[in-house]
Every structure is written in C-alpha cells, then in structure tokens.
Amino acid sequence: MRRALVALMLSGIALSGCGKEDDMDLQDRAEARAVEARAHVDDLAQRLGTDPEVVQDEITTCVPGQDDSGLDLIYTVHVTTGVDAAERLPGDIAEHFAAEGWQVKRDHREPGSDEVSLRFTKGTFTMGANLNTSNGRAAVGGSGGCVR
C-alpha cells in the first residue's frame, strides 16, 4: 500500500512538471517567432529611416486577461525619416516587400494629410508603418501572430 501511495505521489509530481514544460515550450515557441518578427520590423524600419528607437518590445497574452489564450509579440520602433520617405514607403519599399511575398495595403488618408500609412501581412506576421511627413518621424510595428 505504501509503495502504491509513493508511486501515485511521484506520478502526480511528474504530471505537474509536464504543465510547466508545456509553458516553457509555448514561451520558447513565442520567443522564436518574436525573433523573426523583430527582424522583419527592423528591416522595414531600416529601409524607411534612421536612428531606430525601440519603444515597445513585449510578449504578452493574445487576449488581455486570458492567460491561456496564447502569446503574441508587440514590437514598435520609431525612426527619423528623410524628405523622400513619403514616396519611398508606398513605392520601392512596398515593392520590395511585395516581391518577398508580403501583401501590402495602403491605408486611406484624406487628401492633404501629412501621414502615409501601409500595412504588410505574410502568413502569421503583420507589420505596419505610419509616417508623419510634418515631423519627419515614423512608427513601425509588428507581430508574429498568436502562438498557442
């Protein structure tokens, strides 16, 4: 009887450890996807401007408040842009990413707006660039998609 009780306790400990390994696997998978997503965003930011400043870099739950919803990256970089950035973003930069298999969508802006905004998607990855021509700055951000 005592052996059975010890065996039962040991199997319970082993099973409780499995849950933590699953969490580590999820975290490891989320981090691997985040590394790739950061590389895509950094590439877009480098093509668009200079002096990159990471303003947000966080792996968080896919649905706020629901710890079991999976993990997702929020990554945002600000860059300083040149005078030709408003033409380059929807031009040669968008063409480069389209040639790499990204779907590119230009957000509608009112005529005379000082903003140019594009979104990029490829598989689970999404990126966006919002350029403000009046202050010569752009925000570039993205995600690798929810990892479950």
Side-chain angles (χ1 to χ4, degrees):
M1 179 73 165
R2 188 173 265 192
R3 272 188 158 173
L5 185 58
V6 169
L8 184 60
M9 287 174 49
L10 288 175
S11 66
I13 291 169
L15 287 175
S16 68
C18 288
K20 291 180 182 178
E21 285 178 349
D22 288 347
D23 289 346
M24 285 177 37
D25 288 342
L26 175 63
Q27 184 67 37
D28 290 344
R29 288 191 321 246
E31 185 55 46
R33 179 135 0 128
V35 166
E36 192 174 351
R38 287 182 195 106
H40 292 311
V41 171
D42 288 342
D43 182 27
L44 176 56
Q46 181 181 16
R47 291 173 188 281
L48 185 57
T50 60
D51 305 321
E53 175 191 358
V54 176
V55 294
Q56 188 171 16
D57 185 355
E58 178 181 4
I59 295 178
T60 186
T61 56
C62 297
V63 179
Q66 291 185 9
D67 292 341
D68 62 347
S69 67
L71 296 174
D72 196 5
L73 171 73
I74 302 171
Y75 184 63
T76 307
V77 178
H78 288 175
V79 294
T80 302
T81 59
V83 294
D84 63 343
E87 290 80 35
R88 290 183 49 248
L89 179 59
D92 65 314
I93 294 172
E95 290 168 6
H96 165 79
F97 284 99
E100 295 288 320
W102 291 82
Q103 292 181 339
V104 181
K105 183 174 192 275
R106 184 172 183 159
D107 292 331
H108 175 72
R109 297 288 181 196
E110 294 299 318
S113 173
D114 60 354
E115 292 187 5
V116 177
S117 182
L118 267 71
R119 288 180 278 158
F120 304 81
T121 59
K122 182 178 182 182
T124 61
F125 296 95
T126 59
M127 299 188 297
N130 188 29
L131 166 67
N132 186 310
T133 58
S134 65
N135 70 7
R137 301 280 293 162
V140 181
S143 168
C146 189
V147 176
R148 296 182 195 272

